[in-house]
Amino acid sequence: MEIYKNPSYSPRERTIDLLSRMTIEEKAGQMCQVDGRHDPETWIYKKHIGSFLHVTGDEPARLQKMALETRLGIPILFGIDAIHGHAFQSGATVFPSQLGMSSSWNPELLEKVAAITACEVILTGLHWTFSPVLCIGRDARWGRVDETFGEDPYLIGVLAKAMIQGYQGDQLSDPYSILACAKHFAAYGETQGGRDSSESDVSERKLRSIFLPPFQEAVKAGCATFMAGYNAIDGVPCSANQWLLHDVLKEEWGFQGFVVTDWDNIGHLHEDHKVAATLEEACTIALTAGNDMMMSTPTFYEHALSLIEKGIISESLLDDACSRILELKFKLGLFDHKRFPDQGMVSTILGCPEHRKIAYDMALESMVLLKNQNNILPLSKEIKRIALIGPNCDDVQAQLGDWSFGARELAYPEVPTLNYHPEYDPSPIVTILEGIKNRCPHHVQIAYEKGCDLLDENNHNIEEAVETALASDAIIAVVGDTNVLNGEMRDRADLHLTGTQQKLLEALKVTGKPLIIVLVNGKPLTIPWIAENADAILEAWNPGMEGGNGVASILFGDFNPCGKLTVSFPRHVGQQPVFYNQLPGWHGNAYVEMTGEPLFPFGFGLSYTQYEYSNLMVSSSSLGVNDHLTVSVDVQNTGKYEGTEIVQLYINDIFSSVTTPIKELKGFQRIHLKPGEKSAVHITVPVASLGLVNRKCQYVVEPGVFEIMVGPSSRDMDLLKTIVEVVA
Ligand code: NOJ
């Protein structure tokens, strides 16, 4: 038996053996990834394809069988955007959006979400998810903020690790492991004006300070693949950036996996970024820069062959890329147990009650209570008639969010759409209307009016909505945004409520009835009117298939909300970006028209109970660079409900050789407290994590005094403060 077919050899030995048998054509094909819904046979038989994306249903098994019958029988790696559940697959479990999930600050739960996703992906015959997204989401105008973990690099790193662990398990050979993909490398969320895929005007120092750390954490967590961003950094498109992909990622950080381009990044080098005069030149640039797999640039195959023939690139570039790809295929066991889909298990496991339970738990933990005047929530037992009003009460798309059924990515006119048949979908999506109807006590009547369309200003029935509201004891208004206002190429110049939602809310306010607002939206919106006029605000994000049950449980008091914002809410779009970890400046923090403070800051989130913080202490007021700092604080639940509090630790390097953020999150801890209960919370951080990137772009901890801040949010008034000194 050939060495590469023999499982008793290591993945590395098998890779070397297989590579020695491959022709240049087979190597070039191995590096290609195309949409498998378009002429897959030619790609398998004539071009030795390495990977397909966006193939579902019975297709993966059919195509894999073909691949295994080819000369060398190299299995295909199937990729999919399962970024908040296997959400393109009919019947699968759909979790809240990544931004929603980040608001839980709960890595353990995220790991479970990712493990469930991996299990559902594997059962359908796929092997690789393009997740997690590690972009910093700090300009809400950008269309893809809903896909991020928010604005803080430290928190993103912690949550990324959890998701990678959930997807990949302890080792890739575990039967339910899939490959994770850290994307989009790098600074893709920082494009100017929030304009998708434009220039990220950041220096190396800024990259190393803010944008690269979460990706470095992903490498440490063993993330198998990386995706290069669409954007350019300081004039160099990511897929042309040898420093980024090769020098930093592969050499400095020792990344062993492979880099995939984003969708036709090579074509963009020529057509959009215009750093290559021809597609062939673009291929040379991409190959030399360190991209290993080329997503959706079908002509790469021919160009690579011609470049080798002309002697422009050396075959060793292809060898390195193929080794990285093949080794992961061996590690996944694709050559051995093949991972064919298991149709029997698909129908019983996808969206099963155990998986939905985690979707429900995640929906609960991802919701953030932004206002609760006079403790109007949870709903009092006196309330007998509820008016449920708004365009997002009963909207499946808005609730599931982007990268789920109906997402734009599925609708390629020339190829069949993915496998979503709502009429056969065995896992019904519980909308907020359904969730509230299911949960509300018998004596409570629910009257529902849509009130207005989310987009069409001419389509509303505000008068009927007002009448319904007048006949109620309280209004629950569910407003926000929907998929066409989020996603790739869907940046917004404005962040206000669209359609006639604002008019609807103002008319409801005039009724004088208690106004409880539930927001179902991909990302922060500018809602100063709501902040002032609503009695309560619950931010539900895109809460996934169990979102309706989650909202109902929180409104009726079955669950005490505990989510905290991972992204700041601007008061006005002109404040963008309004992230909490700003660099200090001389002219203060105010515009002519308004404050520079956000409407709701990073880390903010209320509860049905109250927590009191006291007795902040540090393990030592003087520490060496190799020491650990333990910060302790007492937290007491002084209210009536038991609940979970997320205790946050921020630092500030008071004087440093370069400007450093006014606050930086360095640790957090979740604690669960019964009414009256008091607990000491200890958060330990290595002093080595208090560093900065100096002018030479080196990471260093500079001796001096650091401010230590602990509390329930990043807002100054919420924080207890002390200082420590770091000595040389
Ligand atoms: C483009 C998106 O930017 C990326 O996030 C996604 O994974 C790929 N398309 C594949 O769908």
PDB file of all heavy atoms in Angstrom, residues 231-265:
ATOM      1  N   ASN A 231      -9.848  43.811   2.110  1.00  0.00           N
ATOM      2  CA  ASN A 231      -9.372  45.195   2.182  1.00  0.00           C
ATOM      3  C   ASN A 231      -7.886  45.311   1.866  1.00  0.00           C
ATOM      4  O   ASN A 231      -7.161  44.314   1.804  1.00  0.00           O
ATOM      5  CB  ASN A 231      -9.611  45.715   3.599  1.00  0.00           C
ATOM      6  CG  ASN A 231      -8.947  44.833   4.639  1.00  0.00           C
ATOM      7  OD1 ASN A 231      -9.158  43.621   4.661  1.00  0.00           O
ATOM      8  ND2 ASN A 231      -8.128  45.416   5.483  1.00  0.00           N
ATOM      9  N   ALA A 232      -7.449  46.538   1.707  1.00  0.00           N
ATOM     10  CA  ALA A 232      -6.019  46.826   1.630  1.00  0.00           C
ATOM     11  C   ALA A 232      -5.609  47.526   2.915  1.00  0.00           C
ATOM     12  O   ALA A 232      -6.412  48.228   3.535  1.00  0.00           O
ATOM     13  CB  ALA A 232      -5.735  47.718   0.432  1.00  0.00           C
ATOM     14  N   ILE A 233      -4.366  47.306   3.339  1.00  0.00           N
ATOM     15  CA  ILE A 233      -3.832  48.000   4.511  1.00  0.00           C
ATOM     16  C   ILE A 233      -2.671  48.856   4.038  1.00  0.00           C
ATOM     17  O   ILE A 233      -1.711  48.326   3.467  1.00  0.00           O
ATOM     18  CB  ILE A 233      -3.321  46.987   5.565  1.00  0.00           C
ATOM     19  CG1 ILE A 233      -4.453  46.072   6.036  1.00  0.00           C
ATOM     20  CG2 ILE A 233      -2.690  47.718   6.739  1.00  0.00           C
ATOM     21  CD1 ILE A 233      -3.992  44.912   6.893  1.00  0.00           C
ATOM     22  N   ASP A 234      -2.784  50.132   4.281  1.00  0.00           N
ATOM     23  CA  ASP A 234      -1.720  51.054   3.882  1.00  0.00           C
ATOM     24  C   ASP A 234      -1.248  50.783   2.443  1.00  0.00           C
ATOM     25  O   ASP A 234      -0.061  50.672   2.164  1.00  0.00           O
ATOM     26  CB  ASP A 234      -0.537  50.928   4.871  1.00  0.00           C
ATOM     27  CG  ASP A 234       0.429  52.096   4.727  1.00  0.00           C
ATOM     28  OD1 ASP A 234       0.047  53.108   4.104  1.00  0.00           O
ATOM     29  OD2 ASP A 234       1.564  51.993   5.216  1.00  0.00           O
ATOM     30  N   GLY A 235      -2.217  50.621   1.571  1.00  0.00           N
ATOM     31  CA  GLY A 235      -1.896  50.474   0.153  1.00  0.00           C
ATOM     32  C   GLY A 235      -1.670  49.056  -0.328  1.00  0.00           C
ATOM     33  O   GLY A 235      -1.548  48.825  -1.531  1.00  0.00           O
ATOM     34  N   VAL A 236      -1.633  48.092   0.585  1.00  0.00           N
ATOM     35  CA  VAL A 236      -1.351  46.713   0.159  1.00  0.00           C
ATOM     36  C   VAL A 236      -2.566  45.823   0.446  1.00  0.00           C
ATOM     37  O   VAL A 236      -2.904  45.579   1.605  1.00  0.00           O
ATOM     38  CB  VAL A 236      -0.113  46.143   0.893  1.00  0.00           C
ATOM     39  CG1 VAL A 236       0.252  44.779   0.324  1.00  0.00           C
ATOM     40  CG2 VAL A 236       1.053  47.103   0.802  1.00  0.00           C
ATOM     41  N   PRO A 237      -3.236  45.318  -0.603  1.00  0.00           N
ATOM     42  CA  PRO A 237      -4.369  44.412  -0.371  1.00  0.00           C
ATOM     43  C   PRO A 237      -3.917  43.187   0.435  1.00  0.00           C
ATOM     44  O   PRO A 237      -2.790  42.707   0.246  1.00  0.00           O
ATOM     45  CB  PRO A 237      -4.797  44.011  -1.788  1.00  0.00           C
ATOM     46  CG  PRO A 237      -4.276  45.096  -2.673  1.00  0.00           C
ATOM     47  CD  PRO A 237      -3.020  45.584  -2.029  1.00  0.00           C
ATOM     48  N   CYS A 238      -4.784  42.697   1.307  1.00  0.00           N
ATOM     49  CA  CYS A 238      -4.359  41.615   2.217  1.00  0.00           C
ATOM     50  C   CYS A 238      -3.809  40.406   1.462  1.00  0.00           C
ATOM     51  O   CYS A 238      -2.837  39.793   1.884  1.00  0.00           O
ATOM     52  CB  CYS A 238      -5.510  41.196   3.128  1.00  0.00           C
ATOM     53  SG  CYS A 238      -5.931  42.480   4.299  1.00  0.00           S
ATOM     54  N   SER A 239      -4.425  40.054   0.330  1.00  0.00           N
ATOM     55  CA  SER A 239      -3.934  38.876  -0.384  1.00  0.00           C
ATOM     56  C   SER A 239      -2.635  39.146  -1.141  1.00  0.00           C
ATOM     57  O   SER A 239      -2.065  38.244  -1.744  1.00  0.00           O
ATOM     58  CB  SER A 239      -4.996  38.324  -1.344  1.00  0.00           C
ATOM     59  OG  SER A 239      -5.834  37.453  -0.619  1.00  0.00           O
ATOM     60  N   ALA A 240      -2.179  40.403  -1.121  1.00  0.00           N
ATOM     61  CA  ALA A 240      -0.889  40.723  -1.740  1.00  0.00           C
ATOM     62  C   ALA A 240       0.157  41.011  -0.671  1.00  0.00           C
ATOM     63  O   ALA A 240       1.280  41.395  -0.984  1.00  0.00           O
ATOM     64  CB  ALA A 240      -1.050  41.942  -2.644  1.00  0.00           C
ATOM     65  N   ASN A 241      -0.237  40.809   0.584  1.00  0.00           N
ATOM     66  CA  ASN A 241       0.599  41.284   1.682  1.00  0.00           C
ATOM     67  C   ASN A 241       1.492  40.173   2.246  1.00  0.00           C
ATOM     68  O   ASN A 241       1.124  39.445   3.159  1.00  0.00           O
ATOM     69  CB  ASN A 241      -0.303  41.857   2.779  1.00  0.00           C
ATOM     70  CG  ASN A 241       0.458  42.727   3.739  1.00  0.00           C
ATOM     71  OD1 ASN A 241       1.649  42.524   3.969  1.00  0.00           O
ATOM     72  ND2 ASN A 241      -0.223  43.715   4.295  1.00  0.00           N
ATOM     73  N   GLN A 242       2.687  40.079   1.682  1.00  0.00           N
ATOM     74  CA  GLN A 242       3.610  39.031   2.098  1.00  0.00           C
ATOM     75  C   GLN A 242       4.031  39.204   3.559  1.00  0.00           C
ATOM     76  O   GLN A 242       4.193  38.230   4.292  1.00  0.00           O
ATOM     77  CB  GLN A 242       4.850  39.090   1.194  1.00  0.00           C
ATOM     78  CG  GLN A 242       5.736  37.887   1.357  1.00  0.00           C
ATOM     79  CD  GLN A 242       6.871  37.886   0.346  1.00  0.00           C
ATOM     80  OE1 GLN A 242       7.207  38.920  -0.244  1.00  0.00           O
ATOM     81  NE2 GLN A 242       7.450  36.736   0.139  1.00  0.00           N
ATOM     82  N   TRP A 243       4.169  40.448   3.948  1.00  0.00           N
ATOM     83  CA  TRP A 243       4.545  40.707   5.345  1.00  0.00           C
ATOM     84  C   TRP A 243       3.488  40.122   6.286  1.00  0.00           C
ATOM     85  O   TRP A 243       3.795  39.445   7.266  1.00  0.00           O
ATOM     86  CB  TRP A 243       4.679  42.230   5.554  1.00  0.00           C
ATOM     87  CG  TRP A 243       4.871  42.595   6.995  1.00  0.00           C
ATOM     88  CD1 TRP A 243       6.027  42.539   7.705  1.00  0.00           C
ATOM     89  CD2 TRP A 243       3.856  43.021   7.915  1.00  0.00           C
ATOM     90  NE1 TRP A 243       5.807  42.911   9.011  1.00  0.00           N
ATOM     91  CE2 TRP A 243       4.482  43.216   9.167  1.00  0.00           C
ATOM     92  CE3 TRP A 243       2.491  43.266   7.805  1.00  0.00           C
ATOM     93  CZ2 TRP A 243       3.779  43.641  10.295  1.00  0.00           C
ATOM     94  CZ3 TRP A 243       1.793  43.692   8.929  1.00  0.00           C
ATOM     95  CH2 TRP A 243       2.441  43.872  10.157  1.00  0.00           C
ATOM     96  N   LEU A 244       2.214  40.356   5.940  1.00  0.00           N
ATOM     97  CA  LEU A 244       1.119  39.911   6.813  1.00  0.00           C
ATOM     98  C   LEU A 244       0.967  38.387   6.793  1.00  0.00           C
ATOM     99  O   LEU A 244       0.940  37.727   7.833  1.00  0.00           O
ATOM    100  CB  LEU A 244      -0.184  40.573   6.340  1.00  0.00           C
ATOM    101  CG  LEU A 244      -1.420  40.332   7.172  1.00  0.00           C
ATOM    102  CD1 LEU A 244      -1.303  41.034   8.519  1.00  0.00           C
ATOM    103  CD2 LEU A 244      -2.673  40.841   6.441  1.00  0.00           C
ATOM    104  N   LEU A 245       0.857  37.818   5.587  1.00  0.00           N
ATOM    105  CA  LEU A 245       0.522  36.397   5.473  1.00  0.00           C
ATOM    106  C   LEU A 245       1.729  35.491   5.714  1.00  0.00           C
ATOM    107  O   LEU A 245       1.596  34.420   6.296  1.00  0.00           O
ATOM    108  CB  LEU A 245      -0.047  36.086   4.085  1.00  0.00           C
ATOM    109  CG  LEU A 245      -1.275  36.891   3.645  1.00  0.00           C
ATOM    110  CD1 LEU A 245      -1.773  36.408   2.294  1.00  0.00           C
ATOM    111  CD2 LEU A 245      -2.391  36.803   4.674  1.00  0.00           C
ATOM    112  N   HIS A 246       2.872  35.933   5.268  1.00  0.00           N
ATOM    113  CA  HIS A 246       4.039  35.070   5.402  1.00  0.00           C
ATOM    114  C   HIS A 246       4.891  35.441   6.613  1.00  0.00           C
ATOM    115  O   HIS A 246       5.070  34.642   7.536  1.00  0.00           O
ATOM    116  CB  HIS A 246       4.878  35.114   4.109  1.00  0.00           C
ATOM    117  CG  HIS A 246       6.058  34.210   4.188  1.00  0.00           C
ATOM    118  ND1 HIS A 246       7.296  34.640   4.630  1.00  0.00           N
ATOM    119  CD2 HIS A 246       6.182  32.887   3.942  1.00  0.00           C
ATOM    120  CE1 HIS A 246       8.128  33.616   4.635  1.00  0.00           C
ATOM    121  NE2 HIS A 246       7.479  32.549   4.226  1.00  0.00           N
ATOM    122  N   ASP A 247       5.379  36.695   6.603  1.00  0.00           N
ATOM    123  CA  ASP A 247       6.350  37.058   7.648  1.00  0.00           C
ATOM    124  C   ASP A 247       5.728  37.000   9.047  1.00  0.00           C
ATOM    125  O   ASP A 247       6.311  36.423   9.959  1.00  0.00           O
ATOM    126  CB  ASP A 247       6.903  38.471   7.399  1.00  0.00           C
ATOM    127  CG  ASP A 247       7.582  38.576   6.045  1.00  0.00           C
ATOM    128  OD1 ASP A 247       7.644  37.553   5.327  1.00  0.00           O
ATOM    129  OD2 ASP A 247       8.020  39.683   5.681  1.00  0.00           O
ATOM    130  N   VAL A 248       4.545  37.597   9.197  1.00  0.00           N
ATOM    131  CA  VAL A 248       3.945  37.629  10.543  1.00  0.00           C
ATOM    132  C   VAL A 248       3.250  36.307  10.855  1.00  0.00           C
ATOM    133  O   VAL A 248       3.566  35.629  11.834  1.00  0.00           O
ATOM    134  CB  VAL A 248       2.948  38.810  10.683  1.00  0.00           C
ATOM    135  CG1 VAL A 248       2.223  38.742  12.018  1.00  0.00           C
ATOM    136  CG2 VAL A 248       3.681  40.142  10.546  1.00  0.00           C
ATOM    137  N   LEU A 249       2.291  35.941   9.997  1.00  0.00           N
ATOM    138  CA  LEU A 249       1.449  34.773  10.330  1.00  0.00           C
ATOM    139  C   LEU A 249       2.257  33.458  10.330  1.00  0.00           C
ATOM    140  O   LEU A 249       2.236  32.713  11.315  1.00  0.00           O
ATOM    141  CB  LEU A 249       0.283  34.694   9.322  1.00  0.00           C
ATOM    142  CG  LEU A 249      -0.644  33.493   9.461  1.00  0.00           C
ATOM    143  CD1 LEU A 249      -1.326  33.478  10.828  1.00  0.00           C
ATOM    144  CD2 LEU A 249      -1.711  33.491   8.355  1.00  0.00           C
ATOM    145  N   LYS A 250       2.940  33.210   9.225  1.00  0.00           N
ATOM    146  CA  LYS A 250       3.571  31.887   9.128  1.00  0.00           C
ATOM    147  C   LYS A 250       4.938  31.828   9.813  1.00  0.00           C
ATOM    148  O   LYS A 250       5.261  30.833  10.451  1.00  0.00           O
ATOM    149  CB  LYS A 250       3.697  31.496   7.656  1.00  0.00           C
ATOM    150  CG  LYS A 250       2.335  31.205   7.013  1.00  0.00           C
ATOM    151  CD  LYS A 250       2.445  30.831   5.545  1.00  0.00           C
ATOM    152  CE  LYS A 250       1.066  30.515   4.963  1.00  0.00           C
ATOM    153  NZ  LYS A 250       1.109  30.300   3.506  1.00  0.00           N
ATOM    154  N   GLU A 251       5.728  32.912   9.689  1.00  0.00           N
ATOM    155  CA  GLU A 251       7.078  32.865  10.274  1.00  0.00           C
ATOM    156  C   GLU A 251       7.051  33.267  11.746  1.00  0.00           C
ATOM    157  O   GLU A 251       7.392  32.483  12.616  1.00  0.00           O
ATOM    158  CB  GLU A 251       8.019  33.791   9.498  1.00  0.00           C
ATOM    159  CG  GLU A 251       8.289  33.313   8.077  1.00  0.00           C
ATOM    160  CD  GLU A 251       9.138  32.057   8.047  1.00  0.00           C
ATOM    161  OE1 GLU A 251      10.063  31.946   8.863  1.00  0.00           O
ATOM    162  OE2 GLU A 251       8.851  31.158   7.209  1.00  0.00           O
ATOM    163  N   GLU A 252       6.603  34.498  12.008  1.00  0.00           N
ATOM    164  CA  GLU A 252       6.677  35.012  13.386  1.00  0.00           C
ATOM    165  C   GLU A 252       5.770  34.224  14.341  1.00  0.00           C
ATOM    166  O   GLU A 252       6.173  33.859  15.436  1.00  0.00           O
ATOM    167  CB  GLU A 252       6.285  36.493  13.353  1.00  0.00           C
ATOM    168  CG  GLU A 252       6.540  37.244  14.630  1.00  0.00           C
ATOM    169  CD  GLU A 252       6.119  38.713  14.500  1.00  0.00           C
ATOM    170  OE1 GLU A 252       6.383  39.351  13.451  1.00  0.00           O
ATOM    171  OE2 GLU A 252       5.493  39.216  15.450  1.00  0.00           O
ATOM    172  N   TRP A 253       4.547  33.949  13.909  1.00  0.00           N
ATOM    173  CA  TRP A 253       3.609  33.249  14.801  1.00  0.00           C
ATOM    174  C   TRP A 253       3.650  31.722  14.637  1.00  0.00           C
ATOM    175  O   TRP A 253       3.025  30.993  15.396  1.00  0.00           O
ATOM    176  CB  TRP A 253       2.164  33.713  14.541  1.00  0.00           C
ATOM    177  CG  TRP A 253       1.902  35.153  14.843  1.00  0.00           C
ATOM    178  CD1 TRP A 253       2.730  36.045  15.479  1.00  0.00           C
ATOM    179  CD2 TRP A 253       0.719  35.893  14.501  1.00  0.00           C
ATOM    180  NE1 TRP A 253       2.130  37.285  15.554  1.00  0.00           N
ATOM    181  CE2 TRP A 253       0.896  37.221  14.960  1.00  0.00           C
ATOM    182  CE3 TRP A 253      -0.468  35.576  13.858  1.00  0.00           C
ATOM    183  CZ2 TRP A 253      -0.075  38.209  14.795  1.00  0.00           C
ATOM    184  CZ3 TRP A 253      -1.433  36.552  13.693  1.00  0.00           C
ATOM    185  CH2 TRP A 253      -1.234  37.859  14.158  1.00  0.00           C
ATOM    186  N   GLY A 254       4.316  31.249  13.607  1.00  0.00           N
ATOM    187  CA  GLY A 254       4.457  29.807  13.418  1.00  0.00           C
ATOM    188  C   GLY A 254       3.172  29.100  13.021  1.00  0.00           C
ATOM    189  O   GLY A 254       2.957  27.927  13.351  1.00  0.00           O
ATOM    190  N   PHE A 255       2.316  29.772  12.275  1.00  0.00           N
ATOM    191  CA  PHE A 255       1.041  29.164  11.852  1.00  0.00           C
ATOM    192  C   PHE A 255       1.304  27.994  10.899  1.00  0.00           C
ATOM    193  O   PHE A 255       1.992  28.136   9.901  1.00  0.00           O
ATOM    194  CB  PHE A 255       0.216  30.259  11.154  1.00  0.00           C
ATOM    195  CG  PHE A 255      -1.048  29.775  10.494  1.00  0.00           C
ATOM    196  CD1 PHE A 255      -2.084  29.238  11.249  1.00  0.00           C
ATOM    197  CD2 PHE A 255      -1.213  29.872   9.114  1.00  0.00           C
ATOM    198  CE1 PHE A 255      -3.260  28.806  10.634  1.00  0.00           C
ATOM    199  CE2 PHE A 255      -2.380  29.450   8.494  1.00  0.00           C
ATOM    200  CZ  PHE A 255      -3.402  28.914   9.259  1.00  0.00           C
ATOM    201  N   GLN A 256       0.732  26.838  11.234  1.00  0.00           N
ATOM    202  CA  GLN A 256       0.999  25.624  10.462  1.00  0.00           C
ATOM    203  C   GLN A 256      -0.093  25.306   9.447  1.00  0.00           C
ATOM    204  O   GLN A 256       0.080  24.436   8.594  1.00  0.00           O
ATOM    205  CB  GLN A 256       1.110  24.410  11.413  1.00  0.00           C
ATOM    206  CG  GLN A 256       2.212  24.527  12.441  1.00  0.00           C
ATOM    207  CD  GLN A 256       3.586  24.388  11.803  1.00  0.00           C
ATOM    208  OE1 GLN A 256       3.803  23.510  10.978  1.00  0.00           O
ATOM    209  NE2 GLN A 256       4.496  25.281  12.159  1.00  0.00           N
ATOM    210  N   GLY A 257      -1.241  25.967   9.582  1.00  0.00           N
ATOM    211  CA  GLY A 257      -2.365  25.635   8.704  1.00  0.00           C
ATOM    212  C   GLY A 257      -2.248  26.319   7.360  1.00  0.00           C
ATOM    213  O   GLY A 257      -1.151  26.674   6.925  1.00  0.00           O
ATOM    214  N   PHE A 258      -3.390  26.508   6.654  1.00  0.00           N
ATOM    215  CA  PHE A 258      -3.302  27.185   5.358  1.00  0.00           C
ATOM    216  C   PHE A 258      -4.165  28.442   5.316  1.00  0.00           C
ATOM    217  O   PHE A 258      -5.107  28.605   6.088  1.00  0.00           O
ATOM    218  CB  PHE A 258      -3.611  26.223   4.201  1.00  0.00           C
ATOM    219  CG  PHE A 258      -5.043  25.776   4.059  1.00  0.00           C
ATOM    220  CD1 PHE A 258      -5.989  26.591   3.431  1.00  0.00           C
ATOM    221  CD2 PHE A 258      -5.448  24.522   4.503  1.00  0.00           C
ATOM    222  CE1 PHE A 258      -7.307  26.165   3.271  1.00  0.00           C
ATOM    223  CE2 PHE A 258      -6.758  24.081   4.344  1.00  0.00           C
ATOM    224  CZ  PHE A 258      -7.690  24.917   3.731  1.00  0.00           C
ATOM    225  N   VAL A 259      -3.774  29.313   4.386  1.00  0.00           N
ATOM    226  CA  VAL A 259      -4.482  30.583   4.194  1.00  0.00           C
ATOM    227  C   VAL A 259      -5.349  30.464   2.953  1.00  0.00           C
ATOM    228  O   VAL A 259      -4.859  30.095   1.880  1.00  0.00           O
ATOM    229  CB  VAL A 259      -3.482  31.745   3.989  1.00  0.00           C
ATOM    230  CG1 VAL A 259      -4.222  33.048   3.686  1.00  0.00           C
ATOM    231  CG2 VAL A 259      -2.579  31.911   5.196  1.00  0.00           C
ATOM    232  N   VAL A 260      -6.637  30.780   3.101  1.00  0.00           N
ATOM    233  CA  VAL A 260      -7.521  30.828   1.937  1.00  0.00           C
ATOM    234  C   VAL A 260      -7.774  32.310   1.631  1.00  0.00           C
ATOM    235  O   VAL A 260      -7.847  33.123   2.548  1.00  0.00           O
ATOM    236  CB  VAL A 260      -8.838  30.054   2.216  1.00  0.00           C
ATOM    237  CG1 VAL A 260      -9.643  30.681   3.350  1.00  0.00           C
ATOM    238  CG2 VAL A 260      -9.703  29.949   0.969  1.00  0.00           C
ATOM    239  N   THR A 261      -7.868  32.631   0.363  1.00  0.00           N
ATOM    240  CA  THR A 261      -8.225  34.017   0.037  1.00  0.00           C
ATOM    241  C   THR A 261      -9.709  34.184   0.323  1.00  0.00           C
ATOM    242  O   THR A 261     -10.441  33.202   0.407  1.00  0.00           O
ATOM    243  CB  THR A 261      -8.022  34.341  -1.455  1.00  0.00           C
ATOM    244  OG1 THR A 261      -9.035  33.656  -2.223  1.00  0.00           O
ATOM    245  CG2 THR A 261      -6.646  33.935  -1.937  1.00  0.00           C
ATOM    246  N   ASP A 262     -10.167  35.406   0.430  1.00  0.00           N
ATOM    247  CA  ASP A 262     -11.614  35.596   0.394  1.00  0.00           C
ATOM    248  C   ASP A 262     -12.031  35.529  -1.075  1.00  0.00           C
ATOM    249  O   ASP A 262     -11.208  35.412  -1.985  1.00  0.00           O
ATOM    250  CB  ASP A 262     -12.020  36.916   1.059  1.00  0.00           C
ATOM    251  CG  ASP A 262     -13.494  36.892   1.494  1.00  0.00           C
ATOM    252  OD1 ASP A 262     -14.260  36.033   1.002  1.00  0.00           O
ATOM    253  OD2 ASP A 262     -13.902  37.741   2.314  1.00  0.00           O
ATOM    254  N   TRP A 263     -13.335  35.626  -1.292  1.00  0.00           N
ATOM    255  CA  TRP A 263     -13.961  35.414  -2.601  1.00  0.00           C
ATOM    256  C   TRP A 263     -13.286  36.242  -3.712  1.00  0.00           C
ATOM    257  O   TRP A 263     -13.365  37.462  -3.714  1.00  0.00           O
ATOM    258  CB  TRP A 263     -15.434  35.780  -2.489  1.00  0.00           C
ATOM    259  CG  TRP A 263     -16.274  35.376  -3.647  1.00  0.00           C
ATOM    260  CD1 TRP A 263     -16.376  36.046  -4.840  1.00  0.00           C
ATOM    261  CD2 TRP A 263     -17.112  34.233  -3.752  1.00  0.00           C
ATOM    262  NE1 TRP A 263     -17.240  35.383  -5.673  1.00  0.00           N
ATOM    263  CE2 TRP A 263     -17.708  34.263  -5.020  1.00  0.00           C
ATOM    264  CE3 TRP A 263     -17.412  33.178  -2.886  1.00  0.00           C
ATOM    265  CZ2 TRP A 263     -18.600  33.281  -5.459  1.00  0.00           C
ATOM    266  CZ3 TRP A 263     -18.306  32.211  -3.318  1.00  0.00           C
ATOM    267  CH2 TRP A 263     -18.888  32.270  -4.590  1.00  0.00           C
ATOM    268  N   ASP A 264     -12.605  35.559  -4.605  1.00  0.00           N
ATOM    269  CA  ASP A 264     -11.924  36.188  -5.748  1.00  0.00           C
ATOM    270  C   ASP A 264     -11.024  37.357  -5.352  1.00  0.00           C
ATOM    271  O   ASP A 264     -10.934  38.353  -6.073  1.00  0.00           O
ATOM    272  CB  ASP A 264     -12.942  36.641  -6.806  1.00  0.00           C
ATOM    273  CG  ASP A 264     -12.245  36.925  -8.151  1.00  0.00           C
ATOM    274  OD1 ASP A 264     -11.125  36.418  -8.362  1.00  0.00           O
ATOM    275  OD2 ASP A 264     -12.816  37.672  -8.961  1.00  0.00           O
ATOM    276  N   ASN A 265     -10.334  37.216  -4.230  1.00  0.00           N
ATOM    277  CA  ASN A 265      -9.355  38.250  -3.871  1.00  0.00           C
ATOM    278  C   ASN A 265      -8.348  38.465  -4.997  1.00  0.00           C
ATOM    279  O   ASN A 265      -7.859  39.571  -5.194  1.00  0.00           O
ATOM    280  CB  ASN A 265      -8.585  37.838  -2.607  1.00  0.00           C
ATOM    281  CG  ASN A 265      -9.247  38.350  -1.337  1.00  0.00           C
ATOM    282  OD1 ASN A 265     -10.351  38.879  -1.400  1.00  0.00           O
ATOM    283  ND2 ASN A 265      -8.605  38.175  -0.213  1.00  0.00           N
TER     284      ASN A 265
END
